[in-house]
Amino acid sequence: MSAPSARASLSLQRRLASALTTQLAGHSIDRIWRPAEATLLLRVTGISPERLLLHVDTALPHATMTTHWPPTPASPDQTTLRLRQALEGGRFVDVTLENERWLSFRLTRGDGPRSLRVQLAGRYPNAAALDADDAEIARLMVARPPFDPDSPPLPAGPLPGEPADDDFQALLRAWAADRQAALSALEARQRLATLHKAARTHLRKLERAEAAIAADRARVDEAEDHRVYGDLLKTALHRVPRGASSIALPDHSQPGSPTVEVPLDPALDARTNLARHFRVYRRFRDAADAIDARLNEARARRQAMEALAAEIAAHAEGATAADGPEPDLAALEARLKSLGYRPPTQAKPSRAKAAPALPYRRFTATDGSLILVGRSAADNDKLTLRHGRAGDLWLHARDVPGSHVLLRPPPGREPTSEALLDAASLAAWHSQSRGEPTVEVTWTERKHVRKARGAPAGRVTLSRGRTLSVRVESTRIDRLYQSLEADDPRR
């Protein structure tokens, strides 16, 4: 039996729906992941190790049961959370092919019927969770319609070999393998196109860097002119008028004593102009060897990058050739990075709506006490006056600007001496005394801290206080910052 085409026919999709009904009916969705933008992975109770994999990429939309799935992300995005809320716990009733365009996974849940609709035909493949009235609850690809009823239907041509019913599982495995191979080839082409763009961008960057060093090398060649200007000025300092931008002087060291126009800075007097010319001469003369070495290195790197960019371009142009050699993308990426390329870092999603920025950082002391450290002078006021509690201990480096620090022990407990030392170390570290061998830190109860009317941001007065001398230890600070990383993603 020959393997089916990657563009599965209407007949195969009907058989797929029937096979999925047989395998999934009565089982529940246990967990949903989104391994990629256009991919959903569903773990179903009772059929481990297989999972339901849905691809809605525009080139190869398909659904299949598989034991080989892509890695899942460490944390879910908002789309995944919405789909989990809509579908997890739902029990499969059946799977049908509807309107010759999409698979419909019908579910029951305690809060009512649900369905997962997977559009396989047309320009807008997508997956969407629907309620009992077919109203959309969530969709996988937000920029596309949840389904496209007016798209061209799936092709109605016959399957290769028209297998018998008992051959269908073998056909399904072959079709899934064919789909996965085509999807892998598509991902490889997309990865190669991204690599091609990165190579061109980095080549332009290296060309600009080489041009800048070459400009410095040209200044080295001009440095001798500054020595000549300085020698000429030495013989004519008394003749230089104040505010002049240049002066014409004869160069008697040259045949015929030609006149040389010596440039001047009008804001400087004659002697300072003289010193400036000699300073420029010495700077570039002394840097000549280093500049030459940098230029040779930049030129070699640019030439290597040109060769690599041409190689990647050749692979990109031949990516669609069936008989062309498969490029080693990992090796190409490694060579690109060895020439100084660094992929652009993606900005972290804003947490402004989910978690407003707090005026303090959160650390954890050895005894579990909470340590709050103000971020700025204005934040110090907010921390102490708005977020501080009567039972908190307040700390600040003595007589120097720095962060306000609050030590808050667990309910019903007194802070230990180690916790107090942790908080005092942070107060010293977040002050202008950082780096001093020992730092004096004032501490008192929060209730003894007041803000005078009209006082600058961060300035407070104490009705009583004590002083603690702290020797800041790097191991203690490292341990406290590890607790910050685990507890405060807004650091």
Side-chain angles (χ1 to χ4, degrees), residues 89-221:
R91 185 179 299 275
F92 288 101
V93 176
D94 57 26
V95 184
T96 57
L97 179 67
E98 297 184 2
N99 199 27
E100 300 181 350
R101 288 165 174 81
W102 57 77
L103 286 174
S104 181
F105 296 79
R106 209 153 53 93
L107 306 162
T108 59
R109 290 204 333 173
D111 54 356
R114 293 280 192 277
S115 64
L116 173 60
R117 181 174 292 178
V118 183
Q119 177 93 23
L120 299 174
R123 296 176 300 165
Y124 305 110
N126 208 344
L130 309 176
D131 64 14
D133 299 321
D134 284 345
E136 178 191 348
I137 304 173
R139 74 179 86 167
L140 178 60
M141 304 294 288
V142 178
R144 301 178 191 170
F147 58 94
D148 184 11
D150 299 323
S151 65
L154 291 164
L159 289 171
E162 286 296 336
D165 290 341
D166 57 356
D167 291 332
F168 179 71
Q169 291 300 327
L171 173 69
L172 193 58
R173 287 193 294 271
W175 174 77
D178 188 35
R179 277 273 165 145
Q180 193 59 46
L183 184 62
S184 298
L186 175 64
E187 291 173 346
R189 289 197 299 272
Q190 293 172 340
R191 185 178 170 192
L192 184 59
T194 300
L195 197 60
H196 187 202
K197 180 180 179 181
R200 295 198 310 268
T201 300
H202 192 56
L203 177 58
R204 290 193 294 269
K205 179 180 178 180
L206 293 183
E207 288 171 343
R208 291 193 297 270
E210 182 184 354
I213 300 173
D216 286 344
R217 187 63 187 80
R219 294 188 184 96
V220 170
D221 296 335

Side-chain angles (χ1 to χ4, degrees), residues 37-302:
E37 183 185 22
T39 305
L40 273 185
L41 180 66
L42 284 71
R43 185 174 67 201
V44 181
T45 59
I47 60 172
S48 180
E50 285 192 300
R51 295 182 181 178
L52 176 60
L53 186 64
L54 307 175
H55 283 293
V56 294
D57 55 276
T58 54
L60 297 165
H62 67 279
T64 185
M65 300 298 299
T66 180
T67 57
H68 302 285
W69 52 81
T72 57
S75 57
D77 58 12
Q78 290 298 318
T79 296
T80 306
L81 293 175
R82 286 192 290 268
L83 288 167
R84 285 181 176 180
Q85 186 177 13
L87 299 172
E88 284 184 357
R91 185 179 299 275
F92 288 101
V93 176
D94 57 26
V95 184
T96 57
L97 179 67
E98 297 184 2
N99 199 27
E100 300 181 350
R101 288 165 174 81
W102 57 77
L103 286 174
S104 181
F105 296 79
R106 209 153 53 93
L107 306 162
T108 59
R109 290 204 333 173
D111 54 356
R114 293 280 192 277
S115 64
L116 173 60
R117 181 174 292 178
V118 183
Q119 177 93 23
L120 299 174
R123 296 176 300 165
Y124 305 110
N126 208 344
L130 309 176
D131 64 14
D133 299 321
D134 284 345
E136 178 191 348
I137 304 173
R139 74 179 86 167
L140 178 60
M141 304 294 288
V142 178
R144 301 178 191 170
F147 58 94
D148 184 11
D150 299 323
S151 65
L154 291 164
L159 289 171
E162 286 296 336
D165 290 341
D166 57 356
D167 291 332
F168 179 71
Q169 291 300 327
L171 173 69
L172 193 58
R173 287 193 294 271
W175 174 77
D178 188 35
R179 277 273 165 145
Q180 193 59 46
L183 184 62
S184 298
L186 175 64
E187 291 173 346
R189 289 197 299 272
Q190 293 172 340
R191 185 178 170 192
L192 184 59
T194 300
L195 197 60
H196 187 202
K197 180 180 179 181
R200 295 198 310 268
T201 300
H202 192 56
L203 177 58
R204 290 193 294 269
K205 179 180 178 180
L206 293 183
E207 288 171 343
R208 291 193 297 270
E210 182 184 354
I213 300 173
D216 286 344
R217 187 63 187 80
R219 294 188 184 96
V220 170
D221 296 335
E222 297 170 357
E224 184 64 22
D225 291 341
H226 288 279
R227 185 192 63 78
V228 172
Y229 296 151
D231 287 340
L232 293 177
L233 276 177
K234 282 195 299 186
T235 65
L237 287 176
H238 62 286
R239 294 169 49 193
V240 178
R242 181 173 292 277
S245 59
S246 66
I247 184 172
L249 299 173
D251 186 358
H252 296 297
S253 66
Q254 300 293 328
S257 299
T259 300
V260 176
E261 193 74 20
V262 178
L264 302 170
D265 186 341
L268 305 177
D269 59 25
R271 289 188 179 278
T272 308
N273 269 295
L274 170 68
R276 183 176 66 89
H277 281 300
F278 279 125
R279 185 169 61 252
V280 172
Y281 164 68
R282 287 192 298 271
R283 184 173 80 242
F284 282 102
R285 179 200 62 189
D286 296 342
D289 291 342
I291 291 174
D292 285 339
R294 288 171 51 215
L295 183 58
N296 291 334
E297 181 183 355
R299 184 176 292 121
R301 181 173 293 187
R302 187 261 305 162

